[in-house]
Amino acid sequence: VSQSRYRHHDGSHLTFPGMAKTFTLRDHQKSAVWQILQEKSSLLDHSVGAGKTSCLIAAAMELKRTGLANKPLITVLNSTLSQFEEAARSLYPSARILVPKSSDFSAGGRRRIISMIATEDWDLIICTHTMFYSMGMSKKFQLDHLNAESKIYADELKRLQRNQSDKSLTRRIQDTLRSLKKEIDKVANAPIKEGTVDFERLGIDAVFVDESQQFKNLRYHTKMDQIAGLPNSNSQRATDCYMKTRWLLTNGGRVIFATGTAITNTIAEMFTLQRYLGAKGLDEAGLSHFDQWALTFGRIVTAPEISPTGKYSIKSRFSRFTNLPSCRRPFIVTGK
């Protein structure tokens, strides 16, 4: 029986033209950069101190230098913006780097920065998560995405009502549909701001998301309401990031997530990561629905548990959730 073998990325041959001669990347950083150059989507799961910042900057600059990306962007936490700017200017002293300042967060300042991004040729753009969120998708794209998501829930609701089953799930889906309707109405009724440029028209074709765990609260549909450890909250920033990653990956762009805490609490976070970075693979494998995905690779175990107060309870949760061959290809777990 033949066995598949995952591709190994060895970046030892990379030389990084334009990088300051006083700095040298470590072997695992070079291999991570090589993976990013070879794949459309990647996850850098680096531990603290593994050089994630330098790795992201070097990868973005190599994408630009080799013509694999025309306008790479790194979005970071507000608190680490100055750190990334200092590192980028030290590593590549001659590069054209755009870094919005705190004074650019006014309405007029944002419009000026967005205009600079759209009209000028930058080697690298570094911005905060807040600025990244302000680069809105077009109204049409947002409505198409939200309506498609709403249709999934509406079809499921019709099936449940037709079978007159699972009233608890029916109520949850109705609540979700009401929430989606509010989002759709908000987007549809939002005035078009003069002088704004949609994200699709900025020319950004490679996005690096540092501390990507900040976008883990992405809504997903599941019938599993009695399984412990399956939170299903939703944030507007996560939805916005998901729309941008889907648009990039379906239009020849690249998406790279970086985090030291890829999975913190639940298996749902693993599914969310794969939706961001490997949605096409999930669709092709018929695993775009959480329940299909979860039951393919895991099993539900019911067992007694003891709480911190000493009380026993019977809970169901997933066990032995490992081995994700059909969806693992877009990811890289590296760092020392």
Side-chain angles (χ1 to χ4, degrees):
V1 179
S2 62
Q3 294 183 344
S4 60
R5 182 183 177 91
Y6 295 117
R7 184 177 180 182
H8 173 68
H9 295 86
D10 182 1
S12 58
H13 64 285
L14 295 176
T15 57
F16 302 98
M19 181 180 286
K21 300 299 182 183
T22 56
F23 188 86
T24 302
L25 291 179
R26 287 172 278 177
D27 290 342
H28 73 273
Q29 291 174 303
K30 292 180 180 180
S31 296
V33 172
W34 184 236
Q35 158 108 8
I36 292 170
L37 294 176
Q38 296 294 305
E39 303 287 351
K40 290 292 186 179
S41 59
S42 295
L43 167 68
L44 298 187
D45 185 9
H46 277 169
S47 58
V48 176
K52 176 163 56 75
T53 298
S54 302
C55 183
L56 292 178
I57 294 167
M61 293 297 293
E62 280 296 285
L63 286 175
K64 173 70 174 182
R65 184 186 68 82
T66 57
L68 295 174
N70 294 315
K71 201 175 289 184
L73 177 144
I74 302 177
T75 179
V76 304
L77 293 175
N78 294 25
S79 59
T80 59
L81 179 64
S82 58
Q83 170 193 334
F84 265 84
E85 179 181 10
E86 181 180 355
R89 297 194 188 281
S90 298
L91 285 172
Y92 292 89
S94 61
R96 293 197 71 222
I97 302 172
L98 175 65
V99 184
K101 304 299 182 182
S102 57
S103 58
D104 298 316
F105 283 85
S106 63
R110 281 197 300 269
R111 284 196 295 270
R112 182 178 65 84
I113 290 297
I114 294 298
S115 177
M116 291 175 66
I117 293 174
T119 58
E120 299 186 36
D121 182 27
W122 300 100
D123 295 323
L124 177 61
I125 301 164
I126 306 175
C127 71
T128 63
H129 290 169
T130 303
M131 178 65 76
F132 182 63
Y133 177 60
S134 70
M135 303 175 191
M137 301 292 292
S138 65
K139 180 178 289 191
K140 181 181 183 305
F141 189 94
Q142 293 183 63
L143 290 175
D144 287 347
H145 173 81
L146 292 172
N147 282 320
E149 188 176 4
S150 181
K151 185 179 184 303
I152 294 173
Y153 286 95
D155 291 344
E156 179 66 14
L157 180 62
K158 289 179 181 178
R159 188 190 67 79
L160 289 171
Q161 290 175 335
R162 186 168 55 248
N163 297 332
Q164 297 183 348
S165 61
D166 205 333
K167 293 182 179 180
S168 174
L169 178 58
T170 299
R171 285 193 296 271
R172 285 197 292 118
I173 291 179
Q174 288 173 335
D175 290 341
T176 302
L177 282 171
R178 280 191 288 269
S179 177
L180 279 166
K181 186 178 186 306
K182 289 180 181 179
E183 293 179 40
I184 291 170
D185 291 343
K186 181 179 179 180
V187 173
N189 297 325
I192 299 177
K193 297 179 181 179
E194 186 177 350
T196 58
V197 181
D198 300 328
F199 179 82
E200 301 99 300
R201 297 166 54 199
L202 292 176
I204 296 170
D205 51 2
V207 169
F208 295 73
V209 181
D210 188 41
E211 303 297 345
S212 59
Q213 77 277 1
Q214 298 290 323
F215 301 92
K216 68 181 180 180
N217 293 325
L218 183 65
R219 177 174 47 224
Y220 61 93
H221 175 45
T222 178
K223 301 174 186 177
M224 302 179 185
D225 59 346
Q226 302 297 323
I227 308 299
L230 292 182
N232 196 359
S233 56
N234 183 69
S235 73
Q236 290 185 345
R237 290 196 178 193
T239 299
D240 173 77
C241 186
Y242 182 61
M243 286 191 287
K244 288 170 180 172
T245 59
R246 287 303 299 263
W247 182 83
L248 283 164
L249 293 177
T250 54
N251 287 276
R254 294 170 185 267
V255 178
I256 298 90
F257 275 20
T259 177
T261 52
I263 310 297
T264 57
N265 291 313
T266 75
I267 61 168
E269 294 173 30
M270 190 184 300
F271 178 66
T272 296
L273 273 174
Q274 294 187 336
R275 288 179 68 196
Y276 275 121
L277 301 176
K280 182 179 179 182
L282 290 176
D283 292 340
E284 291 174 349
L287 299 174
S288 55
H289 190 288
F290 174 78
D291 294 0
Q292 296 168 321
W293 177 86
L295 294 175
T296 298
F297 301 113
R299 65 187 183 92
I300 299 172
V301 175
T302 301
E305 292 187 5
I306 186 170
S307 69
T309 61
K311 293 183 178 180
Y312 282 93
S313 61
I314 304 297
K315 288 189 177 181
S316 297
R317 61 176 66 248
F318 276 97
S319 176
R320 296 183 184 177
F321 201 90
T322 58
N323 192 20
L324 301 168
S326 63
C327 310
R328 185 175 163 187
R329 183 189 58 81
F331 299 95
I332 177 172
V333 179
T334 183
K336 298 180 181 179

